Amino acid sequence: MPTTSTTIPNLLRFPLDLGSATQGHFMTISIFPSGKDKRPMSVALFIPGGGQNGALQWQMQHEYDEVKLTRLGMNMIGAVSAPLGNAVGGALGYERVTGKGTINPKVDVLYANSDLREFQFDLFMSPQSKPEQQAMDRIIRLLRKYSAPEITGQAPEWIQQGVQKYASGLSSQFRTGFWFIPPAEFEIKFRYVENGQQKENPYIPRIARSVLRRIDVNYTQQGEFSTFKDGAPTSAQLTMVFKEMRIIEQRDIENGY
């Protein structure tokens, strides 16, 4: 049985020796559930990378629009003077037809937007003992649970109060209707152990608070389905896709993102 580390107290972890001398690098995923009176919780997992565990990579994508400055200028001329615009356009068309060439479009690019960053983590989990299998199962269930919304039988109290005040005739419908409470938010941190203490790794870019956009669990990654005697799967491929909730800008990158 793996040696359980005491470096990561009170956390669900996989594998159980996470934080030990041989498993000194790991990531923590903190879960912040929506709704009132719900406390944050965290799990600790090995850092993926290589083989079936996918890649550990950061991508930033920015959108630019291509603008033909000549066409923009022609449109401006036409807007100011329709006859002048028609005359210039006709002359350019004649030059093109007679084989004398055409005007340089002078393409430029203009910044349009930056995409929210996404991070995909692929973790092949193969428990070596019954306690590790139970930890794997609990972690997967916890992440799946809080990636999903919660459906409540009645509207939140503040909505009921507003309806009662401004549209009392509809109050009964709002009390009995179904309402979505959004899924949890997540924070991911990369850590390592030094002199018996866990520290955040300053060399791996940080990830801003995120949503868990997709979570997949594959129990047949090895090509067949196998279980322990009690039916518990002997392995699982866990895939998580997190999406940051805000754009990362230059000052964020200076601060480690």
Side-chain angles (χ1 to χ4, degrees):
M1 179 182 298
T3 302
T4 301
S5 168
T6 57
T7 309
I8 315 174
N10 304 322
L11 287 186
L12 276 174
R13 73 192 76 162
F14 186 93
L16 293 182
D17 62 344
L18 211 63
S20 66
T22 57
Q23 293 280 0
H25 292 272
F26 58 96
M27 64 179 184
T28 56
I29 303 176
S30 297
I31 305 169
F32 298 89
S34 302
K36 294 181 178 180
D37 304 324
K38 293 187 177 181
R39 296 181 178 180
M41 59 201 79
S42 296
V43 300
L45 294 167
F46 60 95
I47 295 179
Q52 299 179 81
N53 289 318
L56 188 65
Q57 60 183 352
W58 273 249
Q59 295 179 336
M60 296 187 70
Q61 183 168 323
H62 311 286
E63 298 177 7
Y64 287 84
D65 293 330
E66 293 185 3
V67 178
K68 294 186 176 180
L69 300 182
T70 305
R71 180 175 297 175
L72 181 62
M74 288 291 296
N75 292 338
M76 293 177 62
I77 292 175
V80 174
S81 173
L84 178 59
N86 292 335
V88 174
L92 293 175
Y94 174 79
E95 293 295 314
R96 181 181 299 177
V97 171
T98 56
K100 295 182 179 180
T102 186
I103 193 169
N104 186 339
K106 296 186 181 297
V107 177
D108 200 357
V109 292
L110 298 178
Y111 172 76
N113 190 24
S114 290
D115 295 340
L116 294 169
R117 298 191 304 184
E118 285 195 351
F119 300 89
Q120 178 168 325
F121 300 106
D122 297 297
L123 299 98
F124 180 70
M125 308 172 76
S126 181
Q128 303 301 304
S129 63
K130 183 59 180 178
E132 272 197 348
Q133 196 286 324
Q134 293 173 334
M136 179 185 79
D137 182 67
R138 291 177 64 192
I139 288 172
I140 290 176
R141 286 176 183 269
L142 191 69
L143 292 170
R144 289 180 60 236
K145 173 182 177 179
Y146 287 105
S147 72
E150 180 181 357
I151 297 179
T152 179
Q154 61 182 18
E157 184 178 349
W158 64 273
I159 292 183
Q160 293 188 48
Q161 292 175 351
V163 172
Q164 183 67 33
K165 183 176 180 180
Y166 298 106
S168 57
L170 299 175
S171 60
S172 60
Q173 298 180 35
F174 277 81
R175 283 196 300 269
T176 58
F178 286 96
W179 291 81
F180 276 121
I181 296 178
E185 299 174 6
F186 298 81
E187 281 187 357
I188 302 167
K189 294 185 182 296
F190 299 92
R191 305 182 185 276
Y192 70 102
V193 176
E194 183 180 42
N195 297 325
Q197 299 295 321
Q198 60 162 306
K199 299 180 180 180
E200 186 172 359
N201 193 326
Y203 297 100
I204 302 180
R206 300 170 68 186
I207 298 175
R209 186 168 288 202
S210 306
V211 294
L212 182 47
R213 191 178 67 80
R214 195 183 99 220
I215 180 169
D216 301 331
V217 184
N218 183 358
Y219 291 114
T220 57
Q221 180 65 18
Q222 298 289 350
E224 62 181 18
F225 179 65
S226 62
T227 69
F228 294 102
K229 291 182 179 180
D230 61 355
T234 58
S235 65
Q237 180 82 29
L238 175 64
T239 298
M240 298 175 289
V241 179
F242 293 92
K243 189 168 190 173
E244 287 180 322
M245 300 173 63
R246 63 180 178 86
I247 296 292
I248 298 302
E249 51 110 1
Q250 294 180 6
R251 285 173 294 184
D252 291 320
I253 296 175
E254 289 179 351
N255 291 327
Y257 287 87

